[in-house]
Amino acid sequence: MAGLGIVAAWAIIVALVFASNGAHGWDYAHATFYGDIGGGETMMGACGYGNLFDQGYGLETTALSTALFNNGATCGACFQIRCIDSPWCKKGAGIIRVTATNFCPPDYSKTEDIWCNPPQKHFDLSMSMFLKIAEYRGGIVPVMYRRVMCYKKGGIKFELKGNPYWLLVLVYNVGGVGEVSNLKIKGSNTGWIQMSRNWGQNWQTGVRLDGQSLSFQVTGSDGKIVQSDNVAPSNWEFNKVYEGKNF
């Protein structure tokens, strides 16, 4: 492997080491950071999540460029990232694991430093996670990344918002592949109702379900389904969070 160069040699090594673990293959991208060391500016965001500490994500988060964000469908997915081939990579730094919670928007007015513009694959990490793999002064570093399974504590969380005529459900703390590709809801007096994605991991329906206990059927992007029956009681309330099963 002496003639392959550092990057190519590392690609072969990681492919051999991780080939049998069921994760996606490794690919190349770049990483920057945003916000401050305490996670300022990383809360809320384009996936629809709120306080990332309260919701279990903490500082182990990243915003994704257009090429990776997939119009919000990738929200909740988990990635492993390693700094490579840069003098700014921290010596001995290992692999970090982060969850996609935000969008790094493109800037078409610029011709330089356009890391989040298509077709670039880019991770805008929380400062805390960036500093685990690279020096602050580096600013931007090349990385290798791959999709991995998400391991979350507790069940999937359903936060109910809206009004009696329009129900908006934020789905978070999702294990397995992390991505929710489909969501159905069922009242105690209805059959299964197909919900539609509003934005990020917010799903909506116009069917009135007040006064009914609520069940949810969550489908991951791998096609696996987890069903949680009677998660919310018949006297459920808006702006409350209810917990179901997890993958």
Side-chain angles (χ1 to χ4, degrees):
M1 294 193 295
L4 293 177
I6 296 174
V7 176
W10 171 248
I12 292 174
I13 291 171
V14 295
L16 291 173
V17 172
F18 298 108
S20 62
N21 72 349
H24 292 246
W26 291 85
D27 201 355
Y28 297 100
H30 285 84
T32 50
F33 66 87
Y34 72 117
D36 57 32
I37 196 65
E41 298 182 19
T42 66
M43 303 295 118
M44 310 299 180
C47 287
Y49 305 130
N51 186 311
L52 299 177
F53 294 105
D54 292 346
Q55 294 172 340
Y57 298 110
L59 296 173
E60 298 176 350
T61 62
T62 186
L64 303 178
S65 64
T66 302
L68 296 172
F69 191 66
N70 195 20
N71 293 319
T74 312
C75 289
C78 296
F79 298 85
Q80 285 184 332
I81 300 173
R82 182 183 179 105
C83 184
I84 61 164
D85 199 32
S86 170
W88 300 115
C89 292
K90 284 190 173 178
K91 293 182 179 179
I95 297 170
I96 60 171
R97 177 188 289 263
V98 292
T99 302
T101 60
N102 207 348
F103 176 51
C104 182
D107 185 350
Y108 298 107
S109 67
K110 299 168 63 177
T111 57
E112 296 181 350
D113 301 328
I114 50 173
W115 304 110
C116 290
N117 287 24
Q120 308 280 0
K121 294 178 180 180
H122 189 85
F123 295 87
D124 203 12
L125 299 165
S126 68
M127 180 188 287
S128 175
M129 297 310 291
F130 182 87
L131 294 180
K132 287 182 181 294
I133 60 172
E135 300 291 343
Y136 178 89
R137 290 179 298 169
I140 180 168
V141 293
V143 298
M144 291 190 72
Y145 77 94
R146 65 173 181 170
R147 283 282 307 278
V148 293
M149 300 297 280
C150 298
Y151 302 102
K152 304 299 182 183
K153 295 180 180 179
I156 295 174
K157 305 291 180 62
F158 303 92
E159 182 177 351
L160 309 183
K161 297 176 284 187
N163 58 60
Y165 304 96
W166 176 68
L167 179 62
L168 186 70
V169 180
L170 171 63
V171 185
Y172 66 94
N173 199 54
V174 181
V177 292
E179 296 173 321
V180 176
S181 64
N182 193 44
L183 183 67
K184 293 181 180 179
I185 189 171
K186 179 180 179 297
S188 50
N189 298 324
T190 74
W192 286 104
I193 299 165
Q194 179 66 58
M195 303 190 78
S196 61
R197 189 190 303 274
N198 184 290
W199 60 286
Q201 287 300 355
N202 281 291
W203 297 75
Q204 64 186 358
T205 180
V207 178
R208 289 200 64 166
L209 294 167
D210 46 314
Q212 302 181 53
S213 61
L214 304 179
S215 302
F216 294 94
Q217 192 178 87
V218 180
T219 303
S221 60
D222 58 355
K224 293 182 178 179
I225 298 174
V226 61
Q227 182 171 312
S228 300
D229 295 322
N230 301 313
V231 170
S234 59
N235 62 342
W236 59 266
E237 299 176 44
F238 291 109
N239 301 313
K240 292 290 183 67
V241 178
Y242 300 92
E243 184 173 351
K245 299 177 182 178
N246 219 325
F247 288 100

